Amino acid sequence: MSSEQALDVIVIGSGPGGYIAAIRAAQLGLNTAIIEREFIGGTCLNVGCIPSKALLDATHLLAEIRHAAAFGIKVDDVEVDFAAMQKHKAKTVRMLTGGVRSLLKKHGVKVHEGEARFLGPGKVEVTAADGTLETLEAANVIIAAGSVEAELPPVPFDGDRVVSSRGALDFDDVPKRLVVVGGGYIGLELGSVYNRLGSDVVVLEMMDRILPEMDTELATTAQKILIGQGLGIHLGARVTGVDVSDSGATVRYAVGDEQTEVETDRVLVSIGRKPATGALNLEALGLETDDRGFITVDHGMRTGIPGTYAIGDVVSTPMLAHVAMDEGVVAAECIAGQAAAMEYHAIPAVVFTHPELASVGLKEDEAELRGSIKVGRFPFRGNGRARARNDVEGWVKIIADAQTDEILGVHCVGPDAGHLIHEAVVAMGYSGYAEDLGLTVHAHPTLSEAFKEAALAVDDRALHI
């Protein structure tokens, strides 16, 4: 057993939050080490955000090619080389994770590969894959251990017929039939990938709507569009079990009192994620978690234990890579003695189906509970660039305070919504007003003009509807 001397910061986990925390700490002159139990870059870069977007972009291109005739472009005999598509995904992941490793090296952050376990405050034992033990000590520790897939007891993962999102990213071939358990963003994104590749996709969602964390109108519009694309979406569907055979699986579910079965080749269970804190031995710190396993922190990402911070999926803030990144910066800056704090009122969320869905701020029903509001909407069918692209499904909605005109929330379903939403994020970050957005000159013809028009519509001043 060896001991690393003179460390200022230990970061547990090298996902987006962890590696950003380590880099920022090093930038601030702190001697920093990072511990990773599985792979540099964490879930997001290796088996989450990045590989899923590689497949989403590839299959979106496929869908566009199939509809190219609308632009006067005829393409015959389009073929899919799924193995080559998977190689593209793997190359993308390899390049990005290699980049993270290089960044850590550039900033002098030492990487320790193995499972982390607290021995006490500021003292962490690392067990390498070969069983070698190493003890690291530092004045400060940032817990960025991430999360793991939640399992549905009636439908346990078997790594073959019944898989998590990780397994669905690594299929050797395209299943003819795919059942997706869970109508959240991960299930819908991967369901869209395989629907475009020709799978018969059925989504089973226990609640009465998909995307329960997003604006109701946004989710309802998305559901109609996705059904139109060929996804079978069943709401109020409570999965009760699965029978697996060599040739496929039978998923049993109930809608009300009615019992139903669906035959499939593969089952993707995507019902959420849970904090990966089980192996950390938090008891050695005297640090307790809530009933869902989350660590409680303040806006400086401090836990109740001096010198111990937590960020990302192990805390009860939105499970989003960009949230973890900013939390990592805040934690590092607090350790360095700077005045840093997280603010969560302008956090964007994006679902990368097509069209994309994007939100920031309050949902319409949440805003209504807080007081009088006014709402402006503008459809992409009234946008010249969307028409030129033949991509007119969706709209922009801006919710503002009726008295002050401050923007409270913005929701968008439409082409490139994930890019466009950041205009609203910046505006809300500076407590902007709907009128500010409406009076801002937008280049023509661009999709972003839909945001200007929605802002004008807040006061019934839209010009193109």
Side-chain angles (χ1 to χ4, degrees):
M1 180 180 294
S2 63
S3 180
E4 182 90 13
Q5 299 297 320
L7 281 174
D8 298 307
V9 182
I10 297 169
V11 181
I12 300 176
S14 71
Y19 80 74
I20 288 294
I23 288 172
R24 183 62 184 134
Q27 287 177 339
L28 292 166
L30 301 172
N31 187 12
T32 305
I34 195 166
I35 303 169
E36 175 52 54
R37 67 174 179 268
E38 192 168 10
F39 29 48
I40 296 296
T43 294
C44 179
L45 269 66
N46 290 272
V47 291
C49 322
I50 298 303
S52 65
K53 302 315 167 284
L55 294 181
L56 279 160
D57 286 343
T59 56
H60 177 55
L61 177 60
L62 172 65
E64 287 191 314
I65 291 171
R66 286 172 172 163
H67 294 92
F71 295 92
I73 302 170
K74 295 182 179 180
V75 181
D76 299 320
D77 301 323
V78 179
E79 295 184 12
V80 174
D81 185 339
F82 188 60
M85 190 179 293
Q86 289 284 33
K87 287 181 180 178
H88 159 69
K89 179 202 74 178
K91 180 181 178 182
T92 303
V93 169
R94 187 167 61 251
M95 291 178 67
L96 287 171
T97 54
V100 170
R101 192 179 285 274
S102 295
L103 283 170
L104 292 169
K105 182 178 180 180
K106 171 187 173 182
H107 289 281
V109 178
K110 186 174 181 182
V111 177
H112 299 260
E113 299 191 37
E115 188 78 52
R117 179 176 180 271
F118 279 102
L119 299 178
K123 192 171 184 179
V124 183
E125 181 182 76
V126 184
T127 305
D130 63 1
T132 302
L133 297 177
E134 183 179 20
T135 300
L136 307 182
E137 296 186 56
N140 303 279
V141 179
I142 301 174
I143 303 171
S147 60
V148 295
E149 301 91 344
E151 192 166 4
L152 186 63
V155 193
F157 299 130
D158 66 7
D160 181 20
R161 294 296 176 185
V162 183
V163 299
S164 66
S165 57
R166 181 184 297 205
L169 288 168
D170 287 334
F171 285 156
D172 293 328
D173 52 25
V174 178
K176 292 182 179 179
R177 301 165 298 178
L178 175 67
V179 168
V180 178
V181 180
Y185 74 94
I186 295 174
L188 294 177
E189 287 180 357
L190 290 175
S192 292
V193 165
Y194 288 104
N195 176 56
R196 296 167 189 168
L197 291 170
S199 298
D200 180 7
V201 178
V202 173
V203 178
L204 303 177
E205 169 54 50
M206 184 174 68
M207 298 185 70
D208 60 359
R209 51 171 289 196
I210 61 171
L211 301 169
E213 295 184 355
M214 301 196 86
D215 181 80
T216 300
E217 185 180 10
L218 191 71
T220 300
T221 301
Q223 180 175 317
K224 291 178 181 177
I225 293 172
L226 292 172
I227 289 174
Q229 293 174 359
L231 272 73
I233 297 178
H234 301 274
L235 303 179
R238 181 173 55 86
V239 175
T240 58
V242 61
D243 297 318
V244 176
S245 68
D246 291 339
S247 59
T250 302
V251 179
R252 302 188 302 277
Y253 66 98
V255 178
D257 295 329
E258 183 179 349
Q259 300 289 325
T260 308
E261 293 183 350
V262 57
E263 301 290 332
T264 187
D265 298 296
R266 304 266 193 167
V267 182
L268 162 59
V269 179
S270 179
I271 59 169
R273 302 181 65 83
K274 59 185 180 179
T277 56
L280 292 177
N281 190 31
L282 297 179
E283 296 82 1
L285 300 175
L287 184 61
E288 296 181 355
T289 60
D290 67 16
D291 56 0
R292 295 183 298 161
F294 291 112
I295 299 170
T296 300
V297 293
D298 64 14
H299 278 231
M301 313 317 298
R302 304 173 188 86
T303 70
I305 307 300
T308 304
Y309 297 72
I311 65 172
D313 289 2
V314 299
V315 300
S316 59
T317 55
M319 282 189 171
L320 299 168
H322 45 284
V323 172
M325 288 180 176
D326 272 31
E327 289 174 343
V329 169
V330 166
E333 291 181 350
C334 285
I335 289 170
Q338 298 187 3
M342 275 298 296
E343 292 293 340
Y344 296 96
H345 77 284
I347 299 293
V350 183
V351 181
F352 294 91
T353 53
H354 188 82
E356 292 178 351
L357 318 173
S359 290
V360 60
L362 298 178
K363 297 179 281 188
E364 188 171 350
D365 57 352
E366 290 174 334
E368 287 175 338
L369 292 174
R370 297 196 180 191
S372 179
I373 63 171
K374 48 187 180 178
V375 179
R377 295 177 177 82
F378 188 80
F380 278 103
R381 59 179 168 77
N383 178 271
R385 187 60 182 273
R387 283 288 179 189
R389 289 175 47 158
N390 196 30
D391 201 355
V392 298
E393 287 188 297
W395 40 259
V396 179
K397 176 170 71 173
I398 295 179
I399 305 161
D401 185 283
Q403 277 71 48
T404 67
D405 195 46
E406 182 177 348
I407 300 171
L408 303 177
V410 179
H411 308 278
C412 176
V413 50
D416 293 341
H419 293 293
L420 297 173
I421 196 65
H422 293 91
E423 175 173 358
V425 174
V426 172
M428 289 183 62
Y430 286 93
S431 301
Y433 303 127
E435 186 178 32
D436 293 334
L437 204 55
L439 293 177
T440 301
V441 177
H442 288 63
H444 176 78
T446 62
L447 296 172
S448 65
E449 290 175 284
F451 277 71
K452 176 184 177 75
E453 291 280 355
L456 291 171
V458 167
D459 286 316
D460 296 322
R461 295 168 52 194
L463 300 169
H464 286 88
I465 51 173

